[in-house]
């Protein structure tokens, strides 16, 4: 028996089926209200989740506004080109080591946040997101799952105008605008899933399937990523890893996000996040697109 963790009104909450209970209240103060702190105690979370009775549950999850299940991660990592079909659609070689970048933690947002577009070249990237539970350094691959606190759905929204404005590409800047990292709807411990290494993922834009894949196709799987990062920096509870996106991103098709678009991202066994796009004022590099990318955009606008 594992656990499902949500952020209700800024406080950690346990989720049972479609209902929730405040974690600090249910544990009589033994566990706190901060999701980052409690992720270091997975055994206690699982035990409490298993013994909760219906009378202790507060209300329906659908009736509350959810925040990001990990609201204040110390570190947020992204992984580029981690599906072969995504590397292929970008004309890139399959990497021999993980391609790591960082997202600023200010980009992390609620599962239903309105995504603020600051150019006409913004893109979707549906991803499985890992949250570290028990921290560690130099973690062996065969012990890595022991350090995964939970999994959730994420969107690694990308402003290609900023990302590709310079050489080498500015991955961290292009993917770190406010609202560019919605996660949720809940954080699911790996032992809640039949096979946490094989999860079906889809991204829809306005109801049209744009991305569909399985995390079984990751080039570098979750244990490899956790171990690799831990040999470089100490991982702490609540650190997030956006594990990569399957093929079908908008830029490869000349299909960029626009005002009013609705992105629906689903991972089987975890849940769905839904985000409406809202066009805001341009940022300074809004029209700075390398020549090779202009053709894709022009094709989309000429249709």
């Amino acid at each position: 028996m594992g656990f499902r963790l949500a952020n209700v009104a800024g406080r950690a909450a346990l989720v049972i089926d479609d209902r929730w209970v405040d974690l600090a209240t249910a544990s009589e103060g033994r566990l706190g209200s901060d999701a980052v702190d409690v992720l270091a105690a997975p055994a206690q979370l699982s035990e409490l989740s298993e013994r909760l009775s219906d009378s202790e549950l507060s209300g329906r999850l659908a009736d509350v506004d959810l925040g990001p299940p990990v609201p204040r991660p110390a570190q947020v990592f992204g992984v580029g080109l981690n599906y072969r079909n995504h590397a292929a659609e970008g004309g890139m070689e399959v990497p021999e080591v993980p391609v790591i970048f960082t997202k600023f933690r200010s980009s992390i947002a609620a599962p239903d946040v309105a995504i603020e577009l600051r150019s006409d070249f913004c893109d979707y990237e549906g991803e499985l997101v890992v949250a570290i539970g028990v921290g560690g350094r130099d973690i062996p691959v065969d012990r890595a799952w022991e350090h995964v606190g939970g999994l959730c759905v994420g969107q690694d929204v990308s402003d290609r105008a900023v990302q590709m404005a310079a050489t080498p590409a500015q991955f961290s800047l292009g993917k770190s605008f406010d609202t560019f990292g919605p996660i949720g709807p809940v954080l699911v411990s790996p032992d809640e899933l039949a096979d946490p290494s094989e999860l079906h993922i889809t991204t829809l834009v306005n109801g049209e399937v744009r991305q569909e894949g399985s995390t079984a196709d990751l080039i570098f799987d979750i244990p490899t990523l956790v171990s690799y990062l831990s040999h470089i920096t100490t991982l702490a509870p609540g650190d997030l890893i956006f594990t990569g996106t399957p093929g079908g991103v908008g830029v490869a098709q000349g299909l960029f996000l626009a005002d009013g678009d609705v992105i629906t991202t689903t991972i089987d066994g975890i849940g769905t996040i839904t985000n409406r796009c809202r066009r805001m004022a341009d940022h300074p590099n809004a029209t700075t697109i390398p020549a090779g990318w202009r053709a894709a955009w022009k094709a989309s606008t000429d249709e």
Side-chain angles (χ1 to χ4, degrees):
M1 178 71 178
F3 62 86
R4 293 174 181 258
L5 198 65
N7 175 349
V8 178
R11 294 174 61 87
L14 278 176
V15 177
I16 310 295
D17 297 326
D18 63 345
R19 299 175 68 193
W20 65 276
V21 63
D22 183 83
L23 180 60
T25 301
S27 66
E28 298 179 332
R30 292 188 298 275
L31 295 170
S33 61
D34 189 293
V36 170
D37 292 339
V38 301
L39 279 173
Q44 291 173 268
L45 288 170
S46 295
E47 179 186 356
L48 179 59
S49 182
E50 187 171 8
R51 69 172 176 78
L52 281 173
S53 64
D54 287 347
S55 62
E56 295 176 275
L57 300 178
S58 298
R60 296 178 64 249
L61 204 63
D63 296 333
V64 296
D65 291 328
L66 296 175
V70 182
R72 290 175 298 279
Q75 303 182 97
V76 184
F77 304 97
V79 186
L81 304 177
N82 204 21
Y83 287 80
R84 284 176 173 78
N85 58 358
H86 180 45
E89 70 183 354
M92 307 287 188
E93 294 184 2
V94 173
E96 296 183 1
V97 296
V99 178
I100 304 296
F101 58 91
T102 56
K103 287 174 72 76
F104 305 155
R105 66 178 187 170
S106 55
S107 68
I108 300 304
D112 62 350
V113 72
I115 293 171
E116 299 179 355
L117 310 178
R118 302 293 301 276
S119 81
D120 292 329
F121 304 99
C122 293
D123 206 348
Y124 51 86
E125 292 191 7
E127 308 203 6
L128 175 69
V129 179
V130 171
I132 297 298
V134 177
R137 183 179 182 187
D138 295 341
I139 299 168
V141 171
D142 61 359
R143 303 292 298 273
W145 275 114
E146 299 171 23
H147 294 265
V148 175
L151 306 170
C152 63
V153 183
Q155 265 291 334
D156 180 23
V157 183
S158 306
D159 188 310
R160 305 300 188 190
V162 170
Q163 181 183 346
M164 306 306 295
T167 303
Q170 302 182 96
F171 281 81
S172 294
L173 280 179
K175 295 168 175 284
S176 288
F177 283 75
D178 289 356
T179 74
F180 272 24
I183 60 172
V186 296
L187 195 67
V188 180
S189 64
D191 48 0
E192 279 278 287
L193 301 164
D195 185 353
S197 64
E198 187 173 352
L199 301 172
H200 185 251
I201 178 171
T202 58
T203 301
L204 282 66
V205 178
N206 301 328
E208 177 189 6
V209 177
R210 297 284 183 84
Q211 294 181 287
E212 186 169 13
S214 169
T215 58
D217 296 328
L218 287 170
I219 297 170
F220 304 103
D221 63 12
I222 290 171
T224 299
L225 294 174
V226 170
S227 178
Y228 181 79
L229 287 168
S230 78
H231 281 78
I232 296 166
T233 184
T234 300
L235 297 178
D239 285 351
L240 299 178
I241 306 171
F242 283 69
T243 59
T245 197
V249 296
V251 69
Q253 309 171 70
L255 298 173
F256 295 100
L257 296 169
D259 185 65
D261 282 352
V262 176
I263 310 169
T264 305
T265 315
T266 300
I267 298 179
D268 289 355
I270 298 178
T272 297
I273 64 173
T274 302
N275 306 97
R276 183 176 293 274
C277 297
R278 183 171 61 185
R279 186 63 163 90
M280 311 294 285
D282 282 0
H283 61 69
N285 288 336
T287 59
T288 309
I289 304 295
W293 293 56
R294 287 187 183 276
W297 175 77
K298 186 176 187 303
S300 71
T301 57
D302 286 347
E303 290 178 356

